């Protein structure tokens, strides 16, 4: 791996101790390190200004500690905001940062914590980023949590969505919704087949032309609420399936069969794929500084994008290789240069 120009030998040695190459993919590399160490290291310096998309889901600001680590309240807000300026340095001029954060509840009471919202705002402001759009990722199959207030006392309904913020240093980042069109609804397909539409002025005061909805553009533009079809909310004309209940996929099977450590908070592949397709093109580079089981890298490689992944937990980083076919081996011998950016 190329070192930053002029970096002292002692600094290079220290960097090798804190940033370890776990495996090389066909289009990317998995590193094991704390995100803050990796982003400040000479090892990742070669990707400064070359990342088209940072897609990540950092540990959520939960009240109950998880194995993968999480902070709470103001401490969490300051921690997450601290990454913003550095991640901005890695972006291309028209690059994007997409962060998924779940909701949290205040300890010992049925009230929602605003920590996640505050953290997202602090992150945006710390790097002077534009909020291009907010998405809601709805998963109706989530467990009825928080259990005490939803399933025992029954004074709340279950929390079933996460916020996804799309940010960029420019108000006009690279994006094309034609790459994420969904199948037309049955009613839209009938309309296109019929070839006629009743236009005119609507109660909303919008005027609809007689042929406004008669063009077949190859699919429907998805909404910013990402919902699995077949759910109660599937009345939307176009939805993107984002279930996260898979337990029999290749990753889970390989972990079970080989007694490997499984990450407890997996990223839905469909969510990663949506933003990789929407905000990047083949050959672009995608970075995930909180890679977990490396869903981001696996999806990016499958879609012909280059990728860089960082995970602090050595077991999770190592196990993530099973997402690839065949599983990527550990580099042998001297450190090799990573895939060209």
């Amino acid at each position: 791996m190329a070192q930053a120009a002029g970096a002292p030998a002692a600094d290079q040695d220290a960097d090798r101790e804190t940033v370890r190459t776990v495996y090389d993919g066909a289009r990317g590399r998995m590193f094991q390190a704390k995100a803050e160490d990796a982003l400040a290291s000479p090892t990742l310096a070669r990707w400064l200004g070359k990342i088209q998309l940072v897609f990540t889901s950092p540990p959520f600001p939960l009240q109950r500690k998880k194995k993968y680590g999480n902070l709470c309240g103001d401490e969490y807000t300051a921690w997450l905001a601290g990454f913003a300026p550095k991640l901005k340095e890695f972006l291309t001029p028209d690059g994007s940062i997409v962060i998924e954060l779940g909701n949290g509840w205040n300890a010992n009471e049925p009230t929602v914590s605003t920590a996640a919202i505050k953290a997202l705002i602090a992150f945006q402001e710390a790097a002077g980023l534009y909020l291009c759009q907010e998405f809601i990722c709805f998963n109706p199959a989530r467990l009825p949590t928080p259990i005490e207030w939803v399933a025992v006392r029954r004074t709340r309904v279950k929390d079933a969505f996460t916020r996804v913020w799309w940010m960029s240093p420019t108000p006009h980042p690279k994006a094309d919704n034609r790459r994420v069109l969904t199948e037309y609804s049955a009613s839209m397909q009938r309309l296109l087949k019929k070839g006629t539409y009743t236009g005119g002025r609507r109660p909303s005061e919008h005027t609809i032309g007689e042929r406004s909805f008669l063009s077949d553009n190859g699919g429907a533009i998805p909404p910013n609420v990402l919902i699995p079809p077949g759910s109660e909310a599937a009345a939307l004309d176009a939805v993107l399936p984002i279930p996260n209940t898979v337990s029999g996929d290749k990753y889970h099977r390989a972990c079970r069969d080989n007694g490997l450590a499984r990450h407890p908070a997996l990223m839905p592949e469909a969510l990663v794929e949506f933003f990789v397709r929407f905000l990047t093109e083949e050959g672009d580079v995608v970075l995930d500084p909180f890679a977990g089981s490396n869903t981001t890298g696996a999806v990016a490689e499958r879609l012909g994008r280059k990728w860089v992944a960082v995970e602090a937990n050595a077991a999770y980083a190592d196990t993530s290789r099973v997402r690839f076919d065949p599983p990527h081996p550990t580099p042998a011998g001297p450190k090799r240069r990573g895939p060209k950016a």
Side-chain angles (χ1 to χ4, degrees):
M1 176 62 65
Q3 297 291 342
D11 291 345
Q12 295 181 16
D13 291 340
D15 184 55
R16 281 193 288 269
E17 293 177 2
T18 58
V19 182
R20 178 177 68 90
T21 297
V22 182
Y23 57 83
D24 286 333
R27 294 179 176 271
R29 176 171 287 185
M30 164 62 86
F31 296 100
Q32 188 263 310
K34 294 177 65 176
E36 46 267 54
D37 292 339
L39 295 176
S41 73
T43 297
L44 266 66
R46 61 175 305 205
W47 283 287
L48 288 169
K50 298 181 180 179
I51 301 296
Q52 190 62 42
L53 171 63
V54 174
F55 182 93
T56 195
S57 182
F60 294 173
L62 306 176
Q63 292 296 335
R64 184 166 60 89
K65 293 294 183 182
K66 296 285 190 177
K67 290 181 180 179
Y68 51 84
N70 55 284
L71 302 172
C72 304
D74 293 341
E75 187 179 11
Y76 179 88
T77 298
W79 172 79
L80 186 64
F83 286 98
K86 191 62 181 178
L87 287 173
K88 183 180 179 180
E89 293 180 5
F90 279 88
L91 291 180
T92 63
D94 61 353
S96 294
I97 298 176
V98 175
I99 294 181
E100 183 216 18
L101 273 187
N103 301 303
W105 293 73
N106 293 315
N108 304 316
E109 61 182 42
T111 58
V112 177
S113 169
T114 58
I117 299 174
K118 290 178 179 177
L120 286 168
I121 293 174
F123 183 96
Q124 177 205 1
E125 293 180 344
L129 300 171
Y130 293 91
L131 176 58
C132 301
Q133 197 161 16
E134 180 180 40
F135 290 75
I136 296 298
C137 182
F138 173 51
N139 178 10
R142 288 185 66 176
L143 295 174
T145 56
I147 295 294
E148 174 68 18
W149 312 111
V150 176
V152 179
R153 302 196 190 193
R154 294 183 176 269
T155 59
R156 297 293 185 271
V157 297
K158 68 178 181 178
D159 183 47
F161 76 90
T162 56
R163 284 184 172 82
V164 184
W165 274 29
W166 167 27
M167 294 166 278
S168 177
T170 172
H172 302 288
K174 178 193 284 190
D176 190 341
N177 65 28
R178 290 170 294 188
R179 294 195 288 262
V180 290
L181 297 178
T182 61
E183 184 177 355
Y184 281 128
S185 66
S187 60
M188 184 61 184
Q189 292 178 28
R190 288 194 297 270
L191 180 65
L192 291 171
K193 185 176 182 180
K194 182 181 178 183
T196 60
Y197 180 79
T198 303
R201 194 172 179 82
R202 297 295 190 262
S204 62
E205 299 186 358
H206 290 91
T207 300
I208 308 298
E210 292 183 359
R211 302 196 61 81
S212 296
F213 294 102
L214 297 181
S215 297
D216 187 345
N217 295 306
I221 299 172
N224 67 335
V225 179
L226 309 178
I227 304 173
S231 69
E232 297 88 343
L236 290 175
D237 286 339
V239 295
L240 179 73
I242 308 288
N244 195 23
T245 56
V246 177
S247 60
D249 64 0
K250 178 181 178 181
Y251 176 78
H252 284 88
R253 291 196 307 271
C255 290
R256 283 195 300 266
D257 294 346
N258 296 283
L260 302 174
R262 282 182 284 176
H263 197 283
L266 298 184
M267 170 69 68
E269 288 193 14
L271 182 61
V272 181
E273 181 169 342
F274 176 84
F275 285 101
V276 170
R277 288 187 182 277
F278 182 31
L279 303 176
T280 71
E281 298 176 284
E282 287 192 19
D284 286 339
V285 189
V286 180
L287 165 66
D288 188 344
F290 302 98
S293 66
N294 200 18
T295 307
T296 299
V299 170
E301 185 158 310
R302 173 165 56 82
L303 297 178
R305 277 68 166 172
K306 300 171 186 176
W307 56 271
V308 182
V310 179
E311 170 54 34
N313 185 293
Y316 297 154
D318 187 67
T319 303
S320 71
R321 71 178 74 239
V322 303
R323 285 195 176 277
F324 301 86
D325 191 19
H328 293 319
T330 302
K335 285 185 178 290
R336 295 173 290 169
R337 294 181 64 87
K340 293 182 179 180

